[in-house]
Amino acid sequence: MLDFLGDLRRTHMCGVLRAADAGKKAVLMGWVNRRRDHGNLLFIDLRDRTGVTQIVFNTDRNRAIHEKAEGLRNEYVIAVIGTVKLRDANTINPNMPTGEVELVADELRILNESKLPPFLPSDTALTNEETRLKYRYIDLRREVMQFNIETRHKVAKAIRDYLSGEGFFEIETPFMTRSTPEGARDYLVPSRVQPGTFYALPQSPQMFKQILMISGFDKYFQIVRCFRDEDLRADRQPEFTQIDLEMSYPQPERVWEVVEGFLTAAFAAAGYDIKTPFPRMDYDEGIRLYGIDKPDLRLPPFTDVRECFSSENLQELAINPNLPVIAIHIPKVGELSRKERDDIKPMFHSKGGARVYEDFKRIGNKYPAAAEAIGKNVGAEAGDLIVLVAGSAQAGPQSPVSPHRKVTPQELAVYTSAGLLRLALAQKYAERHQCFQKGDFRFLWVTNFPMFEWDESERQWMAAHHPFTSPHEQDMKLLEEGVEALHDPLSPLSAVRALAYDVVLNGTELGSGSIRIHRQDVQSRIFRALGMTEEEAKARFGFFLEALEYGTPPHGGIALGLDRIVMILAGAESLREVIPFPKTARAVDLMVDAPTPVSEAQLRELGIAIRKTRE
RNA sequence: GGGGACGUAGUUCAGUUGGUUAGAACGCUGCCCUGUCACGGCAGAGGCCGCGGGUUCGAGUCCCGUCGUCCCCGCCA
């Protein structure tokens, strides 16, 4: 028999009662977290989002209530009216915040029962994720999940408060908008009113926020859902939340100050102090020192040890002398077993003919002088792991090349291969090197990205970012020259730097932004550099190009992934731990079971027919 | 699109070289217990070994396929 709530009012949350509350009347409501039945004495741990309080039912005190309480089971929802009692010294539980007190029940209302759940929020072993996601409402009752979602709330609030204080307006932009086939695939929404046409869900409010600058709002932000129809990863969901902002008349440094400001507030809200300003690094330097555009600064950078080998050595090892020879250095890994050394090889994914020399000991046996010099250059101590990555003699340039850009594509291949291996090794031996400590936050601004990337399959230069990213003011001349050499891999386009920047934390890209193009003449030069005719540009971005012509102030901004920030703050390995209702690797919501087919009638109304594909 | 890992009770896992009736812990049910807090004791229920096919005298175990979850590459600001 269930009881009604009636006009009963909760006086305290379950996690707040302390010794000072002793003697008070209290009304608690929550879930039965655990029950310990001692016959005539029954303990219930009552749980809500704030914590747990022990309730005592005692036949001596009240036989009827005790009898009623015996019917309680895990996850029943109850209200208890009782008296807060200081526990006897020998029954204090120092492991819980409410452990000095307990609530002696005078009245019990059973507000709801629960079927036996597939797993319990109080379980110590973690249930498999499939079951957790199907019964997400039970999973979310777990203390960790409650903490993660609370952290998410606090972080978002801190950011809102900070940006509001800095004069930013939070302005909403449409979810049903226009498909601009650029970057990722769009999620499409069919229009019923105009059959055969589609809205797209925004990959980011990019053009809207720029138009808000043209509209005179000066400083805009939004904590906004974005959508991308691409394959998922542990750190990638099809819908995700961005802290999106844009401001008028900024230098990159102005944007960075704002970001450093709200991140300081956000991390403080989660209980962490961070130091600003963040260090800055050129994209080229990131590649050369870490083999990646989002360096994890918690582990040592690369050392180019080409000079440690004689040219005969390099020849014997079949190493290309015109490419860097990279020493990856992971501290304190200790002596590797034969199997561990063998395991390194499959971790290596070669780009452009890069090769791995995982057995440094063998190199030391064969080339003792080189090995000693390498150890010295790297600054390695006994027990540190050194792995070499170099360009194969057969691949890459046969003579030194020096085009405009500081890192050549061949070098990039070697650096990138080494960068991926460095991360894989760092991950694998995390327990040994102990460089990944909770609360160690190494922020970094990566700047001066290349404006264009060479696309080998198209054999032409492509925009590395969206085409509204402004080139560096000093590189305008290269841009002009480069326009004429779109299909030349050595084009001056390779050296054009973008006024783009990423904010990176511990090897995770938190956000990405740029100063935008505000001048029509620069914009059309960029389109030409991308091989786009005026007509093509107009067909794709006409409304936006037109807006640019009505007095656009210089402007720029950035967008940061809220989910990733919270994930790092929560110490989680996956975004799914900080998103209340996430999707699986195949983009399925296991709880609501979406996506689903829709009825023939719905399709007809939309003028859509499903084409069956058969093998 | 490609590569890899996993799938056994409600949950977490074990299951030897292919060999009787597939085990443990937690959870669940019943009984006992007045100071536990991962309470304890006794008894009990609970299995399409993901699904389909094959090899074999015999398959949880070997093979093929398929479905699902996870991780990575490709893809993706």
Side-chain angles (χ1 to χ4, degrees):
Chain A
M1 229 353 222
L2 292 182
D3 301 307
F4 289 108
L5 179 61
D7 56 4
L8 189 62
R9 210 165 146 166
R10 178 163 61 178
T11 60
H12 296 81
M13 297 297 279
C14 294
V16 302
L17 292 175
R18 294 293 181 272
D21 297 304
K24 285 184 191 164
K25 277 270 175 194
V27 180
L28 300 187
M29 300 185 189
W31 285 268
V32 173
N33 195 52
R34 226 173 253 281
R35 104 195 184 120
R36 291 179 293 280
D37 187 350
H38 289 245
N40 289 316
L41 180 67
L42 175 64
F43 299 104
I44 295 290
D45 286 343
L46 193 65
R47 182 196 74 237
D48 63 24
R49 72 177 201 204
T50 63
V52 164
T53 294
Q54 174 166 283
I55 316 287
V56 192
F57 298 92
N58 191 326
T59 43
D60 282 354
R61 191 179 168 100
N62 191 325
R63 182 167 290 278
I65 296 179
H66 176 271
E67 197 171 315
K68 188 171 182 183
E70 288 202 301
L72 294 178
R73 293 294 179 270
N74 283 325
E75 299 309 302
Y76 277 30
V77 182
I78 63 173
V80 180
I81 306 170
T83 313
V84 182
K85 176 181 161 261
L86 209 56
R87 296 199 200 180
D88 296 339
N90 60 327
T91 64
I92 285 173
N93 183 348
N95 299 320
M96 51 199 285
T98 60
E100 284 187 272
V101 295
E102 61 195 4
L103 189 70
V104 180
D106 295 320
E107 192 187 329
L108 166 67
R109 293 191 195 177
I110 301 178
L111 303 176
N112 216 339
E113 323 174 302
S114 168
K115 276 172 63 177
L116 178 63
F119 58 94
L120 291 172
S122 57
D123 277 349
T124 41
L126 195 57
T127 301
N128 80 73
E129 207 172 353
E130 214 173 327
T131 311
R132 287 178 55 205
L133 288 175
K134 178 158 184 205
Y135 298 93
R136 189 58 156 177
Y137 36 88
I138 295 167
D139 187 47
L140 287 170
R141 288 180 194 166
R142 293 167 47 233
E143 193 184 354
V144 188
M145 295 307 279
Q146 294 270 321
F147 172 80
N148 290 356
I149 301 304
E150 181 182 352
T151 301
R152 190 180 173 109
H153 161 74
K154 284 180 177 166
V155 165
K157 180 174 187 310
I159 292 169
R160 277 205 171 88
D161 290 348
Y162 179 86
L163 290 173
S164 303
E166 294 292 308
F168 285 77
F169 291 170
E170 184 163 20
I171 304 174
E172 288 162 283
T173 51
F175 276 4
M176 292 163 63
T177 180
R178 188 191 156 89
S179 174
T180 52
E182 194 69 37
R185 270 183 283 264
D186 287 321
Y187 274 102
L188 297 175
V189 180
S191 161
R192 175 186 57 83
V193 184
Q194 303 188 50
T197 62
F198 296 81
Y199 301 96
L201 303 181
Q203 298 177 28
S204 92
Q206 184 61 35
M207 285 189 237
F208 285 104
K209 68 174 172 176
Q210 291 192 238
I211 284 174
L212 287 171
M213 294 304 99
I214 301 175
S215 311
F217 287 103
D218 202 84
K219 289 175 179 172
Y220 141 94
F221 85 100
Q222 191 180 187
I223 297 185
V224 62
R225 200 69 54 82
C226 299
F227 306 85
R228 284 180 199 148
D229 186 6
E230 295 295 342
D231 287 355
L232 288 81
R233 287 281 194 287
D235 61 352
R236 264 161 38 189
Q237 282 273 314
E239 51 178 312
F240 56 100
T241 304
Q242 297 231 304
I243 304 147
D244 192 50
L245 70 86
E246 195 78 5
M247 51 205 290
S248 292
Y249 314 108
Q251 292 78 29
E253 290 78 3
R254 301 291 85 72
V255 179
W256 302 348
E257 282 163 14
V258 171
V259 172
E260 286 166 358
F262 79 64
L263 282 177
T264 301
F267 277 65
Y272 293 105
D273 277 333
I274 59 174
K275 240 180 62 199
T276 58
F278 304 155
R280 295 157 196 184
M281 183 182 290
D282 267 16
Y283 167 85
D284 283 330
E285 200 183 346
I287 296 295
R288 219 173 316 109
L289 292 177
Y290 297 92
I292 197 160
D293 60 359
K294 42 182 179 180
D296 189 336
L297 301 182
R298 292 174 298 176
L299 285 163
F302 296 154
T303 313
D304 187 344
V305 295
R306 191 167 11 176
E307 303 303 324
C308 298
F309 289 101
S310 68
S311 51
E312 292 78 33
N313 292 166
L314 292 176
Q315 202 163 9
E316 273 178 48
L317 287 162
I319 288 174
N320 189 325
N322 299 312
L323 290 174
V325 176
I326 294 160
I328 300 171
H329 175 203
I330 313 282
K332 298 190 192 108
V333 170
E335 187 87 0
L336 289 193
S337 70
R338 169 72 200 275
K339 183 177 180 314
E340 285 171 329
R341 260 180 287 130
D342 288 347
D343 283 346
I344 293 178
K345 209 149 209 164
M347 292 164 75
F348 181 73
H349 298 277
S350 172
K351 315 254 179 204
R355 286 173 43 184
V356 64
Y357 298 83
E358 77 282 0
D359 197 342
F360 189 67
K361 214 171 181 182
R362 222 164 74 192
I363 294 204
N365 289 340
K366 231 173 155 186
Y367 311 100
E372 204 196 315
I374 290 169
K376 209 175 205 174
N377 281 13
V378 167
E381 292 175 21
D384 290 6
L385 173 64
I386 294 180
V387 175
L388 301 184
V389 173
S392 140
Q394 293 84 33
Q398 299 308 308
S399 59
V401 282
S402 56
H404 301 274
R405 104 193 263 191
K406 283 175 267 176
V407 178
T408 69
Q410 292 83 6
E411 289 172 338
L412 182 66
V414 177
Y415 286 128
T416 308
S417 304
L420 291 173
L421 182 60
R422 172 177 176 268
L423 290 180
L425 289 169
Q427 199 63 52
K428 179 162 181 177
Y429 294 113
E431 300 226 325
R432 301 204 202 161
H433 61 64
Q434 295 281 310
C435 291
F436 294 167
Q437 294 299 327
K438 193 173 188 301
D440 181 17
F441 298 120
R442 306 287 289 271
F443 288 93
L444 175 70
W445 286 108
V446 178
T447 66
N448 289 323
F449 279 78
M451 184 84 184
F452 301 96
E453 273 168 2
W454 177 252
D455 185 323
E456 188 54 46
S457 59
E458 301 279 327
R459 292 208 56 84
Q460 75 165 51
W461 290 94
M462 309 277 268
H465 314 265
H466 58 73
F468 312 115
T469 302
S470 176
H472 218 285
E473 290 174 13
Q474 291 152 14
D475 296 343
M476 289 296 178
K477 208 168 151 259
L478 288 169
L479 177 64
E480 244 166 276
E481 295 165 18
V483 169
E484 311 305 325
L486 184 57
H487 297 280
D488 176 3
L490 297 178
S491 163
L493 286 183
S494 64
V496 178
R497 291 166 299 167
L499 280 178
Y501 33 82
D502 280 3
V503 58
V504 172
L505 169 55
N506 295 351
T508 298
E509 178 202 312
L510 286 188
S512 185
S514 65
I515 302 299
R516 330 292 182 187
I517 298 168
H518 65 280
R519 277 165 43 170
Q520 179 56 45
D521 59 330
V522 178
Q523 186 65 69
S524 62
R525 208 174 301 155
I526 293 289
F527 281 137
R528 247 188 317 132
L530 294 173
M532 214 185 288
T533 65
E534 202 128 314
E535 289 70 42
E536 282 175 300
K538 212 168 226 168
R540 288 168 83 167
F541 315 108
F543 74 98
F544 182 69
L545 297 177
E546 192 176 4
L548 273 183
E549 295 187 282
Y550 288 94
T552 301
H555 62 286
I558 194 164
L560 278 76
L562 177 68
D563 315 277
R564 287 185 181 177
I565 293 172
V566 178
M567 175 170 109
I568 290 171
L569 281 170
E573 295 282 311
S574 157
L575 285 186
R576 293 183 299 277
E577 300 300 308
V578 298
I579 296 176
F581 304 104
K583 299 196 172 40
T584 69
R586 284 175 64 250
V588 169
D589 182 327
L590 291 175
M591 187 181 74
V592 306
D593 187 25
T596 57
V598 296
S599 73
E600 189 52 42
Q602 274 177 296
L603 287 175
R604 203 173 315 118
E605 204 164 41
L606 294 165
I608 290 178
I610 304 295
R611 194 187 314 181
K612 305 265 187 236
T613 50
R614 289 207 181 86
E615 289 299 306

